[in-house]
Amino acid sequence: MTYQKNKSALLWRRVGWALFVVLLLATGAGLYGAWRILWRPNVEPSPFGPAYLYIRTGGTYQDVLDSLERHELLQEPATFRWLAERKGYPAQIRPGRYRLDSNLGNDALLAMLMQGRQDTLEFVLDAFKYKPQLARQMQHQLEADSTHLRRLLGEQYRLQRQYGVDTTTVLTLFIPGRYRLVWNTSAQQFLDSMAAHHRRFWTQQRQRRADSLRLSPAQVHVLASIVQRETTKPEDKPVIAGVYLNRLRRGMRLQADPTLLWAIGNFGVKRVLNKDKLVDSPYNTYKHKGLPPGPITSANRQSLDAVLKPAQHDYLFFCARPGGSGYSDFAASYAKHKQNARKYQRWLDSLKIKR
């Protein structure tokens, strides 16, 4: 009898252990399945750094899946789809540029996408001369529609009411440099952002400097655009700015070659001819006194500050220095300037540069 009881107890213990093991395995399998679906890193690692998922405005859930598959961004797309559909992501698509680090699991990835926590990008604004060039720069780096931006840049009333500029001076809002923007910035948001950066540039100190020169901020931008086209040498910029300011104070014409090249629509020429100076344009500073009506390029911070802090001197003339160094020779008298100009012209002749 005792033997039977012991045998029965042993059997039940074995059954209990078996059930415990089965339960433990089932729990382990469940935990593993949950870990695999929710938290296991699912972004395909890359030796080139983090991947990016771009979701266009108006994009659908299928667009997201197609992009993930086409660019092979996930290790297990099926687990992502399974969790996404149970979390309701197909009805919560948010456009943007999302950074996919390799340690992201499905749960964290979906939380980021559903909350719209997109990554910003570094938008590089290069100097430009014409509005279509700006529109192309924007379209190459952002989702925004370049046609919409060009339309906004041509709306005179809106520009005056919102930004205090017109269709001619609107280029003064754009200061070349590096900016942080979200990829799905619209054309209107882009314009607002550039205008906000412009306002931040114009501190009270810079405004006081402009006032001391008897120039408005827009006029500072116009003069800085000329200085920028004249030289790339930082040390020459304040000196050239001083030359033009001396001319303005004396009521002399600026006679700035870059404005003439803007008027004839050809910045590529090496030599300005007398016939070029006859062109009928308000940008022809050989014919018209004062500053041209608008900038001939988007002036960067260095050029703007060169105008706001010009070198103090009595120079009224300058010309490019022979040798192609990019520096200029300055003169206070026209006679000295003619000597400098002849040296430069002889150097051009030696290179057989006629135009």
Side-chain angles (χ1 to χ4, degrees):
M1 187 69 176
T2 303
Y3 172 74
Q4 289 294 334
K5 285 183 179 180
N6 290 339
K7 187 177 181 181
S8 178
L10 181 60
L11 179 61
W12 278 110
R13 281 197 297 269
R14 288 177 177 175
V15 170
W17 274 108
L19 289 173
F20 174 75
V21 170
V22 169
L23 182 60
L24 188 63
L25 290 174
T27 302
L31 289 174
Y32 172 77
W35 172 79
R36 179 178 172 182
I37 293 172
L38 294 171
W39 303 296
R40 176 180 180 270
N42 196 23
V43 173
E44 190 69 48
S46 169
F48 304 105
Y52 288 91
L53 172 64
Y54 292 83
I55 303 175
R56 300 194 71 84
T57 300
T60 66
Y61 174 56
Q62 189 58 51
D63 293 332
V64 175
L65 294 180
D66 290 344
S67 183
L68 289 170
E69 181 179 355
R70 183 168 60 254
H71 299 292
E72 300 179 340
L73 297 178
L74 298 182
Q75 297 182 45
E76 293 187 349
T79 59
F80 173 83
R81 287 197 302 271
W82 187 91
L83 187 61
E85 289 162 14
R86 277 148 188 82
K87 279 181 167 285
Y89 175 58
Q92 302 182 54
I93 306 300
R94 292 175 179 266
R97 172 184 182 265
Y98 296 92
R99 172 174 168 153
L100 274 57
D101 291 305
S102 59
N103 63 345
L104 277 179
N106 291 328
D107 191 54
L109 173 56
L110 282 165
M112 178 178 67
L113 297 176
M114 294 171 73
Q115 294 168 20
R117 288 188 275 111
Q118 61 172 304
D119 189 39
T120 59
L121 57 78
E122 185 179 67
F123 178 87
V124 180
L125 179 63
D126 294 322
F128 62 94
K129 298 182 286 294
Y130 307 107
K131 296 173 187 176
Q133 295 173 327
L134 169 64
R136 285 195 292 272
Q137 282 194 57
M138 183 197 69
Q139 189 168 40
H140 287 161
Q141 300 180 69
L142 303 174
E143 184 194 23
D145 178 21
S146 62
T147 302
H148 187 201
L149 179 64
R150 292 175 68 173
R151 185 164 62 249
L152 291 173
L153 296 177
E155 294 180 355
Q156 182 87 307
Y157 175 72
R158 181 194 290 267
L159 292 175
Q160 290 176 331
R161 178 169 55 87
Q162 288 190 244
Y163 310 111
V165 296
D166 56 30
T167 54
T168 301
T169 58
V170 66
L171 267 66
T172 64
L173 294 181
F174 302 92
I175 302 176
R178 297 176 181 273
Y179 300 90
R180 299 300 304 185
L181 297 173
V182 294
W183 172 73
N184 60 320
T185 296
S186 68
Q188 182 65 64
Q189 290 168 336
F190 175 70
L191 186 53
D192 289 342
S193 179
M194 293 298 103
H197 283 289
H198 176 269
R199 287 192 297 272
R200 285 195 287 273
F201 173 83
W202 279 99
T203 61
Q204 290 184 353
Q205 184 182 30
R206 286 190 172 106
Q207 183 65 63
R208 285 195 294 269
R209 287 175 183 163
D211 292 342
S212 70
L213 297 171
R214 297 184 180 180
L215 296 175
S216 68
Q219 289 173 321
V220 171
H221 278 269
V222 173
L223 183 52
S225 73
I226 298 173
V227 171
Q228 186 164 303
R229 290 298 306 177
E230 290 283 14
T231 185
T232 60
K233 302 300 181 183
E235 53 269 52
D236 270 11
K237 285 186 176 185
V239 187
I240 292 175
V243 170
Y244 284 130
L245 288 167
N246 287 345
R247 282 178 161 261
L248 288 172
R249 292 189 193 101
R250 295 194 180 200
M252 299 171 63
R253 292 183 177 88
L254 294 184
Q255 296 184 333
D257 288 353
T259 65
L260 199 58
L261 300 180
W262 198 96
I264 66 176
N266 188 353
F267 279 100
V269 302
K270 300 292 185 182
R271 206 166 191 167
V272 170
L273 305 179
N274 286 330
K275 66 177 183 179
D276 298 327
K277 300 174 185 178
L278 303 176
V279 64
D280 184 19
S281 168
Y283 288 84
N284 183 351
T285 55
Y286 279 86
K287 293 181 68 172
H288 302 284
K289 284 187 178 181
L291 293 166
I296 58 172
T297 190
S298 51
N300 58 33
R301 286 168 172 77
Q302 188 183 70
S303 300
L304 290 164
D305 283 333
V307 172
L308 292 170
K309 293 185 287 187
Q312 302 299 313
H313 53 65
D314 59 355
Y315 296 141
L316 291 172
F317 308 95
F318 70 95
C319 72
R321 184 176 298 171
S325 66
Y327 288 98
S328 298
D329 287 322
F330 299 89
S333 68
Y334 184 65
K336 178 62 176 175
H337 172 64
K338 289 290 286 182
Q339 293 178 14
N340 293 336
R342 278 195 290 269
K343 291 179 183 177
Y344 181 66
Q345 289 161 4
R346 284 197 293 269
W347 178 71
L348 290 178
D349 290 339
S350 71
L351 299 176
K352 296 182 168 45
I353 296 175
K354 301 300 181 183
R355 183 63 164 151

